[in-house]
Amino acid sequence: MEVHKRVRGPSISEFLDDDVLIIVGSSLINGRTTYGAVKIACTLGRTCTTLRRVTGKVLESILKLDSKQLEVFRTAMEGRSMLITGVAGTGKSQVVRAIRAVSEPSRIAITASTGAAAALVGGTTVNSYFGLGVGNEKVERYIGMLNSQKLKVTKERIIHTNRVLIDEVSMLDADFFDKLVVVTRSIRERAGNTLPVQFILVGDFLQLPAVNARSKGFVFQSKSWEELKVKVHELTTVHRQCDSKLLDALSRVRKGQITDEDVQFINENSAREPHQDCVNLFSTNDESDHHNRCMMAKIHAQIHPFRCVDSGDERAMTSVTAPRELFLKAGAQVMCLKNISGAAGCLVNGSVGKVVDVRVRVSEPERITAYIDVEFTDYGDESDNAHKFMHSFVTGCTQENEFSVIQKEKVVATRYQIPLRLAWAVSIHKSQGATFDRACIDLSRTFECGQAYVALSRVRTLAGMYIKNLTKKCVKANSVALSFYKDNH
């Protein structure tokens, strides 16, 4: 993003013209909107930061925000630490994209609690970004490590980062968050940077919690939460589903208050049998991996291995969703791992298709190119509008196969791999944050609070769900998280 001009002070009226969108504190002045280059001036705290040119696509994403989302977006521009929360499908990721669009890339950390979540927001894991590993060391140990030559780049990154965005924050525990805040503050103060860091936390604490939440607490139970004076902003309008009865039922599932009538309604109105091209959601990784292996073994076709090409910092690869080694056969069900422009249909991260053919060509000695033809189905908004289209994936170090980890506008690691993974099944944990048109949901082995809710809220419509073993017993909500939302309502 090109920096157009730096402005100082509160007065920026000189920049107002017909093609200007100005965001200043809590006010929004929108002139005639166009889809060319526009100017955006945004404030962080009391300081007017950067006037920058952005594409019409970014402007369009901001203008699509509903009134509540826009209110949250404005607050973020004021520099206050905040929690952006709400039920599944309320557009938390849309607000994240808008915040990212108007933030200076070298000053914002785009992170998430898990690798899968980081991939969805185009960032890296919070552990990797701040050099905290698995988070089980003492604060003093981390500070010493960050002052070493080995982590010099990470230290510089922390010193110059003024805004930290953490997606799926429900999967971080209080102990880790306290360490993150203390280490960040200490490193910056020792370098002479005493400006406060804005933490923008995104997630729903009634979805899947951190593994250690029971013993170490939720992020909102941390000491740092009070010190940062985190302001809670809850989005309420659901954009993923439109069925009011389904939304009411999902609201009760989220709170662990599902009724017999809800169970009956969901079971009677969901799909009678699984769709052929649907994703299977299981409670555990073992179940999903086993299902993928079994389905692959049923296909009597030649298996083709595809190994990745890696470069850069190996530690940063944890946030890359593309596998090191991918095994494909004609007939395999696969999921696309990134948005691909120029495709014949809507091909996005999460699109599910079937491998039709794998063609291998030898153009010269030791140079082999493979073409993987995959048939996808674009359902649009309604299943009646579904149409099939083909896309050919080609091996090699191409932009389509590139998975880069970017930190401070610099590529620190790159993996080249066909942007596919086997997709007969995925764990409910890994599906958090994703949206599916169709899914087969098995709730027989749910063991965690919020797990059933995450699974049921991934799919756009009841007709797109085939549900196994939904009972009141498998629906649980964390009492501590429920109290948090009651107190902050």
Side-chain angles (χ1 to χ4, degrees):
M1 188 179 291
E2 176 193 355
V3 175
H4 177 62
K5 186 173 182 180
R6 185 167 295 276
V7 291
R8 300 289 183 185
S11 176
I12 53 172
S13 57
E14 64 188 279
F15 296 106
L16 288 173
D17 58 40
D18 283 346
D19 296 326
V20 175
L21 177 72
I22 300 291
I23 302 157
V24 186
S26 60
S27 65
L28 178 77
I29 306 170
N30 182 18
R32 180 174 58 84
T33 59
T34 64
Y35 295 101
V38 299
K39 302 170 186 176
I40 288 184
C42 58
T43 61
L44 182 59
R46 296 179 179 177
T47 306
C48 194
T49 54
T50 305
L51 187 69
R52 53 174 79 251
R53 291 187 182 275
V54 296
T55 64
K57 190 174 183 180
V58 172
L59 172 59
E60 186 179 8
S61 70
I62 296 172
L63 296 179
K64 282 183 177 179
L65 299 178
D66 63 32
S67 59
K68 183 63 178 179
Q69 291 171 330
L70 190 56
E71 177 187 333
V72 174
F73 175 70
R74 291 169 178 167
T75 304
M77 294 300 99
E78 295 172 358
R80 301 174 184 176
S81 288
M82 61 193 299
L83 169 69
I84 303 174
T85 189
V87 304
T90 48
K92 295 184 288 292
S93 59
Q94 291 176 319
V95 180
V96 168
R97 284 193 289 270
I99 292 170
R100 181 176 188 171
V102 298
S103 298
E104 191 173 346
S106 62
R107 301 290 182 180
I108 185 171
I110 304 296
T111 70
S113 56
T114 68
L120 289 174
V121 296
T124 185
T125 62
V126 63
N127 311 60
S128 174
Y129 190 94
F130 291 92
L132 301 183
V134 296
N136 57 2
E137 300 285 351
K138 292 184 177 180
V139 168
E140 294 75 16
R141 170 69 172 159
Y142 284 124
I143 292 173
M145 292 166 60
L146 286 165
N147 281 317
S148 68
Q149 188 65 27
K150 185 178 180 180
L151 294 180
K152 181 180 178 181
V153 174
T154 303
K155 177 183 176 181
E156 289 298 315
R157 192 161 62 220
I158 293 172
I159 292 171
H160 294 99
T161 297
N162 293 335
R163 178 178 284 169
V164 176
L165 191 148
I166 306 176
D167 198 19
E168 300 298 354
V169 72
S170 68
M171 293 192 191
L172 291 184
D173 60 64
D175 182 66
F176 181 90
F177 187 63
D178 276 334
K179 289 177 180 177
L180 168 64
V181 173
V182 173
V183 168
T184 300
R185 183 184 298 132
S186 177
I187 291 296
R188 289 165 60 85
E189 287 179 351
R190 293 186 184 194
N193 186 351
T194 57
L195 289 174
V197 174
Q198 178 191 24
F199 285 86
I200 300 176
L201 312 176
V202 185
D204 178 8
F205 291 110
L206 286 171
Q207 294 190 35
L208 288 162
V211 175
N212 299 320
R214 285 189 179 88
S215 60
K216 297 184 177 181
F218 287 92
V219 165
F220 59 77
Q221 294 176 296
S222 65
K223 295 178 181 178
S224 300
W225 183 274
E226 293 298 327
E227 293 175 1
L228 293 169
K229 298 180 180 179
V230 177
K231 178 70 174 176
V232 178
H233 292 268
E234 186 169 3
L235 300 176
T236 55
T237 303
V238 178
H239 301 278
R240 182 178 294 159
Q241 293 96 2
C242 299
D243 185 334
S244 60
K245 288 186 177 180
L246 174 59
L247 291 175
D248 290 341
L250 287 177
S251 176
R252 288 186 286 273
V253 171
R254 176 176 179 258
K255 298 174 183 177
Q257 300 169 351
I258 188 171
T259 65
D260 292 327
E261 290 75 16
D262 291 329
V263 173
Q264 182 179 356
F265 167 73
I266 293 172
N267 283 330
E268 289 182 352
N269 290 277
S270 56
R272 297 294 87 201
E273 57 184 31
H275 301 283
Q276 288 185 344
D277 57 353
C278 72
V279 176
N280 289 264
L281 298 182
F282 288 101
S283 299
T284 65
N285 285 322
D286 288 343
E287 288 176 290
S288 61
D289 291 344
H290 177 72
H291 186 82
N292 280 331
R293 288 193 298 268
C294 289
M295 294 300 293
M296 192 71 157
K298 290 180 181 179
I299 301 175
H300 300 291
Q302 182 181 351
I303 191 166
H304 300 271
F306 299 98
R307 293 177 178 83
C308 70
V309 177
D310 286 352
S311 62
D313 187 353
E314 183 68 22
R315 295 170 299 179
M317 289 296 181
T318 56
S319 63
V320 177
T321 54
R324 291 182 180 276
E325 195 165 35
L326 175 67
F327 296 93
L328 294 177
K329 294 179 180 179
Q333 182 162 298
V334 292
M335 180 187 296
C336 185
L337 299 178
K338 62 191 302 187
N339 300 340
I340 297 178
S341 59
C346 182
L347 193 51
V348 299
N349 184 354
S351 295
V352 175
K354 181 175 290 186
V355 177
V356 175
D357 191 18
V358 180
R359 296 169 285 127
V360 180
R361 294 180 181 176
V362 181
S363 56
E364 58 184 74
E366 299 184 358
R367 182 175 178 82
I368 301 174
T369 305
Y371 299 82
I372 301 93
D373 299 328
V374 182
E375 182 180 69
F376 292 93
T377 303
D378 183 358
Y379 292 98
D381 296 325
E382 302 290 343
S383 58
D384 294 340
N385 297 330
H387 74 275
K388 297 182 182 296
F389 65 96
M390 295 287 294
H391 185 78
S392 292
F393 296 86
V394 184
T395 55
C397 296
T398 65
Q399 184 177 0
E400 184 173 290
N401 297 338
E402 181 181 317
F403 292 82
S404 295
V405 180
I406 302 174
Q407 296 174 356
K408 297 297 183 185
E409 297 187 279
K410 293 181 180 179
V411 176
V412 297
T414 302
R415 170 170 293 170
Y416 289 99
Q417 175 63 286
I418 301 164
L420 296 172
R421 59 159 290 172
L422 295 180
W424 286 287
V426 65
S427 71
I428 295 172
H429 277 73
K430 289 183 179 178
S431 75
Q432 182 158 312
T435 301
F436 300 113
D437 290 304
R438 300 179 174 192
C440 175
I441 303 169
D442 187 347
L443 301 173
S444 60
R445 293 178 64 184
T446 53
F447 58 91
E448 185 59 87
C449 294
Q451 200 168 18
Y453 171 64
V454 168
L456 294 171
S457 60
R458 296 307 95 198
V459 189
R460 298 181 191 277
T461 64
L462 262 176
M465 304 182 207
Y466 176 73
I467 304 169
K468 299 179 183 179
N469 305 301
L470 171 61
T471 64
K472 289 174 67 175
K473 186 178 179 180
C474 71
V475 176
K476 306 172 187 175
N478 188 283
S479 59
V480 176
L482 283 170
S483 297
F484 168 78
Y485 281 107
K486 184 179 179 179
D487 294 341
N488 286 278
H489 185 66

